[in-house]
Amino acid sequence: GIADEDLVYGFARRTTELRRRGAENTRQTARFVVGFDGAWDNGIRYETSFNWGRTTQNQNSTGQIDVRNFQQALNSEVLADGTIQCVDEIARAQGCVPINIFGAGSISPAAAAYTQADVKFTAEVEQTVFNAYVAGDTTPINFELPAGPVSWVLGYEWREESSEQLPDALSQSGLNGGNITPITAGSFDVYEFFGELEIPLIKDMAFAEDLTAKFAARQSTYSTVGDTFAWSGNLEWQPVEQIRFRAQYAEAVRAPNISESFAGLSETFATVQDPCNGLTVVGGTPTFGTTDPDDLRIAAICYQDPLVAARTDRDGSFTLTQPELQGTGGLVGGAIAGGFDLKEEEATTTTFGFVFNPDYNGWIEPLVISVDYFQIEIVDAIGTLGRNTSLNRCYGNGDSDITTFDPTSAFCSNIERFNVGPSLGAADRVNSFSQNLASIETSGIDLQASYTWDLEDAFKSPGLGELAFSATYQWLEKYESEAFPGAGTGESGGTLGLSEHEGLFGVVYTNGPLTVALDTQWIGASDEDFGFLNMPYHFEDEFFTDIQARYKLLDDKMTLVAGVDNVDDNFVYAGLGLQATGHYTAPEIYDSLGRRMYVGFRLDF
């Protein structure tokens, strides 16, 4: 006979008889702002404000199943009269209907109704901000330089942010056909003191129409990461009226958001490769059966793990079974869920450039051009470790500097191994939580240009309107990043999503109540190596054009709007990258919806 536990058959089936996959979202936003401003007799200005806002989301998704009901519906029996019923009496009392999974359209409407389960999701984001500052061009002691008065700002801000994402009970338990989806809820508050100073150094002199220094600083205390400090210094020099040079150095910070800190635990089951698999001990020396020094080093580190050593000593080798190789789970979540303390990201930025605004009578006068070079370095950037990265680096695979097993390291602490039973030593879970890991360095050039052409003046004819041209362009010199300390720096500039060349060109025609705008986005060529396919892929330069027309009525209280997005219906196939579900492009980079048209109106009361 065959044991009951061996009477198991796996199957995969599209449950097309249930409701189609889809989602409906309802979002509501409320905002309240109050404040006042004014000035004292000595010229010092003041302003204070209170700002409260809340956004809620309710989502209902169809096309999923209730795993518990599906199991009960599969567990059916044939009665003497040939009818079929669910075996479990309690399930029958709760409306269980047997389900037939064999053949297209074989699931009855009653069985579909019993086994389907809508997925519900609610979210709420709330922010409260109090801000107050004083500013002036003078002080009680009337501090003024030969080039002019010193301008200053002193202020205080308090901000509280909270967020909650609440899936339904089935999603939280992983019983709707997907992995466990946890609750994410958290909040933080921060109070800050800030100040700005503008010091005129030289005014109206030869080759120095203006020379001004600006400084800004902000001291913050977060309930999550504690004290932070950011500051910047800026110098602007205008040798002649038509051109202004500028340079700035800044040290900035970013505190972790609520999701990075407070996201709950969710499951993942992606296959991982255990670098300790195949470990044996020969003559008291841990080995993988080779004399390669690197293999011997990794084998020694693996054997220092007590659970790996226990399995090796028990069985004579650390050889994982097929279920152990394919059944490694894992938890993914925010830093707090993983027992980590996040700190703020830190960045230094350097920029310098110029603004050219010719002051000549004639056609060139409306032209404005600005060019800036930027360099940005970020350290302690928040990210997650890949599950196989944790396994490899914990045991020194890929890093010859690692020679000992450290259970408290950022890598080994993500690994949970079975400590008893037949699977002793095998990886039970390899987790991935938010940590301060990465570093990024990028640089490039930003260019902006604008020109306004008054058609009435140019052609000496009234009623022709005005044309405004604008263009922005960025050249990405480099984008180097290191995923975690010791991973090695990689260059991403020129890859998908980080094109070396990008730009935006716009034309706006205005004539009284009529406005017509055309915008074209240019995304430069890029290359991507889809490693899992061993297939490099080249993406050409792409252009996306939108057109919109607006017309004002009723003394500008009503605006009619009509437009076409992605006029030439451009679609960039990027399915090789296994992009987001339902897309055959990279929707975060390229338009994924194709040509679309819209009309509407706005009414001001």
Side-chain angles (χ1 to χ4, degrees), residues 120-122 164-174 176 178-185 259 262-268 330-334 337 433:
K120 300 184 183 298
F121 172 86
T122 62
E164 179 182 78
Q165 299 177 8
L166 182 63
D168 61 65
L170 285 179
S171 299
Q172 291 183 42
S173 56
N176 66 348
N179 294 338
I180 290 176
T181 304
I183 295 173
T184 294
S259 179
F262 299 103
L265 296 175
S266 58
E267 290 180 303
T268 183
L331 298 175
V332 178
F433 305 106

Side-chain angles (χ1 to χ4, degrees), residues 19 42 44 48 53 57 87 108 139 173 187 211 285-286 302 304 325 405 430 478 514 525 540 554 567 586:
R19 297 177 65 185
N42 59 6
I44 295 178
T48 185
Q57 176 188 2
V87 171
S108 68
T139 67
S173 56
S187 65
L211 181 64
T285 301
C302 286
Q304 293 171 24
L325 288 170
F405 171 70
V430 182
K478 67 176 179 180
L514 175 66
E540 300 290 348
L554 304 177
V567 173

Side-chain angles (χ1 to χ4, degrees), residues 31 63-64 101 152 184 220 241-242 256 274 277 283 332 335 417 461 512 528 574 589 591 599 602:
R31 186 166 179 251
Q64 284 287 10
I101 61 172
W152 55 271
T184 294
S220 307
E241 191 169 353
Q242 294 79 21
D274 193 329
N277 189 27
V332 178
R417 295 187 179 273
S461 178
E528 190 67 35
I589 303 168
D591 182 281
V599 294
R602 187 181 70 190

Side-chain angles (χ1 to χ4, degrees), residues 376-390:
I376 304 171
E377 297 183 26
I378 303 174
V379 296
D380 293 326
I382 297 171
T384 58
L385 286 172
R387 300 171 69 225
N388 235 109
T389 297
S390 290

Side-chain angles (χ1 to χ4, degrees), residues 1 49 71 89 274 344 442 453 479 536 569 572-573 590 595:
S49 63
Q71 290 172 336
E89 183 177 352
D274 193 329
E344 69 276 9
T442 183
W453 189 18
Y479 190 96
D569 199 22
V572 181
Y573 176 71
Y590 302 113
R595 183 189 299 119

Side-chain angles (χ1 to χ4, degrees), residues 247-285:
Q248 176 175 286
Y249 175 84
E251 295 186 2
V253 297
R254 186 188 76 87
N257 61 38
I258 290 174
S259 179
E260 291 165 338
S261 294
F262 299 103
L265 296 175
S266 58
E267 290 180 303
T268 183
F269 294 97
T271 301
V272 295
Q273 304 294 324
D274 193 329
C276 297
N277 189 27
L279 176 69
T280 60
V281 178
V282 178
T285 301

Side-chain angles (χ1 to χ4, degrees), residues 62-113:
T62 58
Q64 284 287 10
I65 65 171
D66 185 324
V67 172
R68 299 167 303 179
N69 287 2
F70 207 93
Q71 290 172 336
Q72 295 292 354
L74 285 172
N75 186 22
S76 57
E77 59 186 358
V78 181
L79 301 180
D81 61 359
T83 60
I84 303 174
Q85 68 175 14
C86 299
V87 171
D88 189 277
E89 183 177 352
I90 297 177
R92 291 200 305 271
Q94 295 174 343
C96 181
V97 178
I99 192 168
N100 179 10
I101 61 172
F102 299 102
S106 62
I107 299 177
S108 68

Side-chain angles (χ1 to χ4, degrees), residues 7-69:
L7 295 173
V8 177
Y9 291 89
F11 72 93
R13 189 188 192 280
R14 293 273 187 186
T15 53
T16 54
E17 297 88 344
L18 278 64
R19 297 177 65 185
R20 291 184 178 182
R21 280 193 173 186
E24 293 182 357
N25 282 282
T26 301
R27 294 183 176 90
Q28 295 179 314
T29 298
R31 186 166 179 251
F32 173 79
V33 180
V34 63
F36 59 88
D37 57 20
W40 290 298
D41 293 340
N42 59 6
I44 295 178
R45 306 178 301 277
Y46 59 87
E47 181 175 318
T48 185
S49 63
F50 177 82
N51 188 329
W52 173 88
R54 175 186 292 164
T55 296
T56 60
Q57 176 188 2
N58 289 279
Q59 176 179 285
N60 189 81
S61 302
T62 58
Q64 284 287 10
I65 65 171
D66 185 324
V67 172
R68 299 167 303 179
N69 287 2

